[in-house]
Amino acid sequence: MRLTEPEPGAPADPAQAKPRAPHGLAWAGAFALLLPALAAAQSPPVTLKLEREFGAAARGDDSARPIFAEGERIETEGERLIIEGDASVRRGDTRIGSSRIEYDRGTEELSAEGGVSISRAGALFTGPSLKLNLGSSTGVFESPSYELSTSGGRGTADRVVFEGEGRSVLEGATYSTCPCDAEDWYLRADTLTLDNEENEGQGRNASLHFRGLKLFTLPVFWFPLSDERRSGFLPPSLALTNRTGAELEVPYYWNIAPNYDMTWTPRIMSRRGLQVGGHFRYLQPDYDGDLRGEVNPNDWVNSETRFQWSLQHRIRELAGWRGVLDLNGISDDEYFLDYGRSIIATSERNLPRDLLLTRGWGPWQVLFRATQYRSILDARDAPPYQRLPQLRLTNTVRNWRGMDVSTLIDATYFTRRLDDAIEGLRVVVNPRISYPIRRPGWFVEPRLSVHASAYRLDSNPGAETGINRALPTFEVDSGLVFERDTRFLGRPMVQTLEPRLYYAWTPYRDQSDIPIFDSGVTEFGFGQLFSPNLFVGHDRIADVNQLTAAVVSRMIDPGSGAEQFRFAIGQRLYFTSQRVEFPGLVARTDRRSDVLLAAAGELGGGISFDSGVQISLVDTRVPRLSLTMRYRPGDDRILNFGARYQRGELGQIDTSFQWPLNRRWTLMGRFNYSWLDQQINEVGELEPTRPGVIEALIGAQYSSDCWATRLAVQRFVTAENQRTTAFFLQFEFSGLGRIGTDPLTILRRNIPGFRVPRSLDETTDRYIDYR
């Protein structure tokens, strides 16, 4: 039966996209569904799509929509309507059901007795009686219970009082996502006031109960009712390390404006006192950034003020320029060792202060950069050079009369925070031209380049302060590609055979008088096999007359085109000995390089591997070896194994895993062990070193139907003979939030392929909106 005529009106404007609210007291936000599900005259977005003839009224105003009634018996007494026997009233996407419903069309008073149910916006409520004025949205729902499909939550309330459109008060409300027969945790609030006009809720005397134990009580709190950001306290976190002791953090989120916000984080440490941290974020059409800082005005261990700060400012548009400003600072060298919680944080040695700007002018790209460093701990003995400033121009033209032409021009002034350091200006001009010839099954590409550089130094003891150098380089790269159909591991495959020859020539030039500003030695590998220069940077250009020969074979799935297996072998032939020297590098005299072997692929059953080995033909030793294997059969099971070896420098075994023991328990961990007992020092001599664990991490998760707990312990090396141990403990309540110190970031960083265990059962009802 159609009771009211829809009023004509233009559709409301679409809802504007809102930034997501902070995680905060996320559990309280579940109550936000109570009001729109009970008061039929509210204005949240419609859940079910209405037919065209039912949607003429403005979507933001339910009072303009028709009301439909249904029941076994419907009687009218003037303006009063009585519906009995499986009675229901529907307006928009709200449905009220009961054994008996009375509705007065004049006063818009509705009352329902016996088995009352209301469904709307993904929520279902049941109770014995309801009195509601559909016009003023005032009334009372006695002793309702509810289910929320969005979070799988359920609960009860002594009663709900509707105080007008968009505002209601729940008295004696509870909330939980646990099954009725195993309610391990629940939340109780004396009163919960929901104001949809202000998109804000307020609770009083709310307490969280777990396994019969009251964890904490909040006398008063506020929470958002929408995805709009709201100021307020975020969940506290706990931690324990041997450097700071027991820790408690209670962050406060301050929503300053739609494009500005800030998080204040007091951090109380049992060993070092009170630290206050802040994180300010800003967003503008042409730029955005983050400003972070933390300060401890009185460190209890050394009675000093200690702090750390950083600024990352990103420029998207500034008169055609794009760029980044990265600034960092700390109070003392050992700050990260004492306050860091991860091996990455404690390994910081050079803090940059960097300005980078780029823009394009037609085929030219311009880069301007200024970089300083604050070196700490052992990096003070050999700080990196600073660029004050650097200007770089690059130009690339493709397919100019069949040729590719590029030019690089770089001018940099280098300084160094070290006594007697050589400082000065370096200008580099590096034009390159190539003529690629590519045909089906083969390619040839000759290249010619000139590396010209000029140095104007402030001082250069024992050598000239003005140095010029120009060196040509000639290269020829060529290859063939053969294919055939075959079978691999019982599956049809396409196998390729790809031989490749690469020749490079650069004449010798004495460069011993040229300082080393930013150059280094590249590792010998497949990438370096096809490069003309042994060094990176512009200060050293290797003299070469060499030929590289390599063969790659691949197994390719003909259906998907995915590479299933790859094998490669390569070696370099030298026609002359190396004459250009570099500190710590022994000059090469061999006519043949070591042989490089590499293999990688998918072996089926979730097993994959990637390996590489360097074999010396002089003494049959293995100077370098790497192997990684992964077993991932599914169901959140991961086993990683890796081994890395570089003679005299590195020897480590690295293994990590994530393995469910049963439906409830999951173990996770990582162990990184160094077996070297001798290591090459800075002057190239072997010195004794102690084998041991570099980093160890072990964790476990226990999952119930509606909650989980995670425990992790991490121990890692921070400096010579110094180690840090950190403990992480976190509770997760399904549909509520997480409390404690987050171990998931550490686990993701240490376990390749890690996924949060799918632990908590799906308790949501996907069909609740159709009732």
Side-chain angles (χ1 to χ4, degrees), residues 149-317:
S149 66
T150 54
S151 64
R154 62 175 186 81
T156 62
D158 295 339
R159 69 173 187 165
V160 179
V161 179
F162 305 108
E163 297 183 346
E165 184 172 347
R167 182 178 174 86
S168 64
V169 178
L170 289 82
E171 300 176 353
T174 66
Y175 172 76
S176 179
T177 57
C178 296
C180 297
D181 56 349
E183 194 173 67
D184 289 341
W185 71 266
Y186 66 90
L187 186 75
R188 175 179 294 277
D190 288 354
T191 62
L192 199 66
T193 303
L194 308 176
D195 192 335
N196 274 27
E197 294 295 325
E198 298 294 332
N199 281 325
E200 186 175 73
Q202 182 189 81
R204 292 187 178 274
N205 293 327
S207 55
L208 179 62
H209 300 256
F210 177 67
R211 293 284 183 100
L213 178 66
K214 182 187 292 187
L215 297 184
F216 60 81
T217 299
L218 295 176
V220 61
F221 62 92
W222 292 264
F223 54 91
L225 297 184
S226 68
D227 282 345
E228 291 183 354
R229 297 176 303 188
R230 288 280 178 173
S231 300
F233 285 99
L234 305 180
S237 65
L238 303 171
L240 178 64
T241 73
N242 64 325
R243 308 284 290 188
T244 60
E247 298 182 15
L248 171 64
E249 289 185 353
V250 185
Y252 180 82
Y253 177 79
W254 180 20
N255 182 35
I256 304 172
N259 57 332
Y260 297 97
D261 65 7
M262 188 166 188
T263 303
W264 294 99
T265 307
R267 179 183 178 187
I268 303 174
M269 298 164 285
S270 62
R271 291 195 60 191
R272 298 187 179 274
L274 174 63
Q275 179 191 73
V276 178
H279 179 196
F280 174 66
R281 301 187 301 176
Y282 54 92
L283 174 64
Q284 291 293 343
D286 296 335
Y287 62 87
D288 65 273
D290 297 74
L291 175 62
R292 302 171 186 262
E294 51 192 34
V295 59
N296 184 344
N298 182 24
D299 188 310
W300 291 349
V301 175
N302 55 20
S303 301
E304 294 179 355
T305 299
R306 308 185 70 183
F307 60 85
Q308 179 265 335
W309 62 272
S310 66
L311 169 67
Q312 283 78 42
H313 179 76
R314 294 167 288 273
I315 304 170
R316 290 189 292 273
E317 171 60 33

Side-chain angles (χ1 to χ4, degrees), residues 7-66:
E7 298 180 3
D13 291 335
Q16 299 297 317
K18 300 292 183 182
R20 182 166 297 276
H23 190 55
L25 293 171
W27 54 268
F31 286 105
L33 293 174
L34 289 173
L35 180 59
L38 293 176
Q42 299 306 301
S43 57
V46 176
T47 302
L48 299 181
K49 180 180 180 180
L50 301 180
E51 296 295 336
R52 185 183 305 274
E53 59 269 28
F54 299 151
R59 289 186 179 271
D61 186 3
D62 274 354
S63 64
R65 292 178 176 150

Side-chain angles (χ1 to χ4, degrees), residues 391-674:
L391 178 64
R392 173 178 294 180
L393 304 175
T394 56
N395 176 286
T396 301
V397 179
R398 299 291 184 185
N399 199 23
W400 177 74
R401 298 184 179 181
M403 295 180 289
D404 295 337
V405 182
S406 65
T407 303
L408 179 144
I409 303 173
D410 185 288
T412 307
Y413 189 86
F414 291 94
T415 66
R416 195 179 194 188
R417 292 182 174 177
L418 193 66
D419 294 338
D420 301 326
I422 300 175
E423 301 177 340
L425 174 68
R426 184 191 68 194
V427 178
V428 175
V429 179
N430 184 203
R432 297 169 57 91
I433 186 170
S434 63
Y435 187 74
I437 304 172
R438 299 184 181 275
R439 299 292 185 270
W442 62 275
F443 74 91
V444 175
E445 184 174 350
R447 310 182 193 116
L448 179 64
S449 63
V450 176
H451 193 286
S453 53
Y455 292 79
R456 298 298 179 262
L457 308 175
D458 296 341
S459 64
N460 192 13
E464 297 182 0
T465 57
I467 304 173
N468 298 320
R469 178 190 60 189
L471 287 170
T473 296
F474 175 70
E475 308 165 66
V476 178
D477 197 1
S478 62
L480 301 172
V481 179
F482 302 97
E483 293 184 358
R484 70 166 184 171
D485 295 329
T486 187
R487 298 187 68 84
F488 180 70
L489 298 178
R491 294 180 294 170
M493 292 286 172
V494 174
Q495 182 182 13
T496 70
L497 185 65
E498 307 168 34
R500 184 177 177 184
L501 287 177
Y502 169 78
Y503 175 76
W505 173 83
T506 302
Y508 168 74
R509 169 70 185 272
D510 183 10
Q511 302 166 52
S512 58
D513 292 343
I514 298 177
I516 299 176
F517 290 138
D518 60 359
S519 288
V521 181
T522 60
E523 289 189 357
F524 184 64
F526 274 96
Q528 204 274 328
L529 273 180
F530 301 96
S531 172
N533 194 11
L534 171 64
F535 310 105
V536 293
H538 299 293
D539 300 314
R540 289 293 183 271
I541 306 298
D543 57 311
V544 296
N545 186 8
Q546 59 195 26
L547 177 68
T548 297
V551 177
V552 178
S553 182
R554 311 174 198 267
M555 294 289 182
I556 300 174
D557 188 325
S560 64
E563 182 182 281
Q564 298 296 309
F565 184 83
R566 180 180 70 254
F567 175 79
I569 182 172
Q571 187 182 27
R572 178 181 288 165
L573 303 178
Y574 302 104
F575 302 114
T576 59
S577 300
Q578 175 187 332
R579 300 175 63 188
V580 176
E581 298 178 348
F582 194 90
L585 178 66
V586 178
R588 174 194 49 77
T589 59
D590 299 332
R591 293 303 183 186
R592 292 182 298 174
S593 72
D594 295 344
V595 175
L596 296 178
L597 298 172
E602 302 280 346
L603 300 180
I607 301 176
S608 61
F609 75 99
D610 193 347
S611 61
V613 61
Q614 176 182 339
I615 302 176
S616 173
L617 299 182
V618 177
D619 53 12
T620 66
R621 291 186 177 183
V622 178
R624 185 180 287 108
L625 169 70
S626 67
L627 171 65
T628 59
M629 296 192 68
R630 174 177 294 185
Y631 176 54
R632 191 168 187 172
D635 299 328
D636 295 330
R637 291 181 292 171
I638 302 171
L639 178 60
N640 302 301
F641 173 81
R644 296 180 298 165
Y645 171 73
Q646 186 171 346
R647 187 166 55 190
E649 297 183 21
L650 180 70
Q652 294 180 5
I653 293 177
D654 196 343
T655 182
S656 59
F657 62 91
Q658 175 184 354
W659 206 265
L661 301 180
N662 51 41
R663 180 173 173 266
R664 301 295 188 188
W665 285 96
T666 300
L667 288 181
M668 301 154 283
R670 180 198 178 191
F671 298 93
N672 188 353
Y673 178 82
S674 174

Side-chain angles (χ1 to χ4, degrees), residues 318-336:
L318 180 63
W321 292 85
R322 300 170 63 90
V324 176
L325 176 64
D326 183 9
L327 304 177
N328 297 271
I330 57 173
S331 58
D332 57 90
D333 284 13
E334 296 190 352
Y335 183 88
F336 292 122

